[in-house]
């Protein structure tokens, strides 16, 4: 596709359930980022992937959060035992390579609501 | 840790008014600075960026930003706004870890026709 895509666009879940959020980066982009945007807050860095290198997980808020990137392309963010404070918009971005000189292209986000 | 502050959360202007959105960051080293914009119903997109050189950078749609190192600021400006500039604007910075970008909380700009 022409841009970064994310699915689902909206997800409503009950507290304690696990959720998976998907990101399809732009073809050929080796760097992939996940961010979280809570209501009234800026984007919070979660995790970064670059090719086959070990991801930078330093932004993950707890061990309930994990992410993987298969084949250097599609990425899945998993939140286990969801809590109400996990409600947010989860954004994915990709760039050609990890250099900050390359623009990050953002997807439309997944709005997660935990009841 | 680095942080970014955008003190104006919501700005309302009439068309043709001048715009200045504040952005301050906390980091003493070399930084790369960005402004992103999110138009209603659209994805975040890059407006402009600063890496080095001339501290006054020009971006798309007539926007510009000035890096003032002594003030740790990177304010966004536009001499004359249009209704189509209605959007949310985010300032971002990265420094010691180029993998990590720190974003401000955003400023919602509403331009009245």
């Amino acid at each position: 596709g022409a841009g970064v895509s994310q699915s689902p666009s909206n997800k409503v879940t009950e507290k304690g359930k696990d959720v998976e959020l998907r990101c399809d980066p732009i073809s050929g982009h080796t760097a992939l980022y996940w961010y979280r945007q809570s209501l009234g807050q800026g984007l919070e860095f979660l995790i970064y992937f670059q090719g086959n290198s070990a991801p930078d997980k330093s932004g993950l808020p707890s061990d309930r959060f994990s992410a993987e990137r298969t084949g250097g392309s599609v990425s899945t963010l998993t939140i286990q035992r969801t809590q109400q404070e996990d409600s947010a918009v989860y954004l994915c971005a990709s760039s050609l390579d990890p250099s900050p000189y390359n623009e990050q292209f953002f997807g439309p986000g997944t709005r997660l609501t935990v009841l | 840790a680095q942080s970014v502050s955008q003190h104006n959360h919501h700005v309302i202007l009439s068309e043709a008014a001048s715009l200045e959105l504040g952005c301050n960051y906390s980091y003493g080293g070399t930084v790369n600075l960005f402004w992103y914009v999110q138009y209603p119903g659209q994805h975040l997109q890059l407006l402009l960026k600063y890496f080095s050189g001339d501290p006054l950078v020009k971006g798309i749609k007539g926007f510009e930003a000035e890096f003032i190192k002594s003030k740790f600021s990177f304010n966004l400006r536009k001499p004359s706004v249009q209704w189509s500039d209605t959007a949310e604007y985010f300032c971002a910075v990265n420094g010691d870890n180029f993998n990590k970008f720190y974003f401000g909380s955003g400023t919602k700009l509403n331009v009245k026709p």
Side-chain angles (χ1 to χ4, degrees):
Chain A
V4 177
S5 60
Q6 293 186 244
S7 61
S9 55
N10 278 286
K11 177 71 176 179
V12 179
T13 190
E14 293 178 347
K15 178 181 171 182
K17 296 282 180 69
D18 298 351
V19 295
E20 282 189 353
L21 312 179
R22 176 186 169 107
C23 171
D24 283 271
I26 292 173
S27 178
H29 281 194
T30 63
L32 187 148
Y33 307 78
W34 282 98
Y35 295 90
R36 175 170 72 174
Q37 185 178 20
S38 303
L39 190 62
Q41 305 294 316
L43 277 69
E44 174 190 4
F45 168 83
L46 296 178
I47 188 169
Y48 157 83
F49 294 90
Q50 164 53 26
N52 295 320
S53 303
D56 179 346
K57 303 179 181 180
S58 58
L60 294 178
S62 78
D63 59 8
R64 296 187 296 105
F65 287 72
S66 63
E68 59 181 25
R69 188 179 184 190
T70 53
S73 181
V74 172
S75 177
T76 302
L77 177 69
T78 301
I79 309 173
Q80 296 178 308
R81 304 181 303 281
T82 52
Q83 305 294 312
Q84 287 182 332
E85 61 263 28
D86 299 334
S87 296
V89 175
Y90 289 82
L91 290 167
C92 175
S94 71
S95 65
L96 193 58
D97 64 39
S99 166
Y101 306 110
N102 288 311
E103 180 178 349
Q104 290 187 50
F105 292 86
F106 283 82
T110 294
R111 182 175 297 277
L112 174 66
T113 303
V114 182
L115 302 177
Chain B
Q2 299 169 56
S3 66
V4 179
S5 297
Q6 291 181 245
H7 302 293
N8 312 106
H9 298 297
H10 198 179
V11 173
I12 302 173
L13 295 173
S14 297
E15 276 196 312
S18 64
L19 170 72
E20 181 159 3
L21 301 183
C23 172
N24 288 90
Y25 64 92
S26 64
Y27 182 66
T30 301
V31 291
N32 301 310
L33 297 156
F34 308 82
W35 275 98
Y36 281 83
V37 60
Q38 187 168 27
Y39 297 102
Q42 296 187 25
H43 308 178
L44 268 166
Q45 58 185 279
L46 183 67
L47 196 56
L48 50 77
K49 57 190 176 185
Y50 171 80
F51 297 123
S52 63
D54 188 345
L56 184 63
V57 293
K58 295 189 185 298
I60 59 173
K61 304 185 179 184
F63 285 90
E64 63 180 32
E66 185 175 13
F67 170 51
I68 303 179
K69 189 174 181 179
S70 61
K71 295 185 178 180
F72 298 90
S73 70
F74 189 56
N75 292 355
L76 181 70
R77 300 195 295 247
K78 185 170 184 178
S80 176
V81 295
Q82 301 173 312
W83 176 77
S84 58
D85 294 324
T86 293
E88 189 161 14
Y89 294 81
F90 293 88
C91 181
V93 61
N94 77 356
D96 55 353
N97 182 345
F98 287 152
N99 297 342
K100 297 180 75 167
F101 289 74
Y102 296 85
F103 282 78
S105 57
T107 298
K108 289 185 179 177
L109 172 65
N110 189 357
V111 180
K112 296 191 287 187

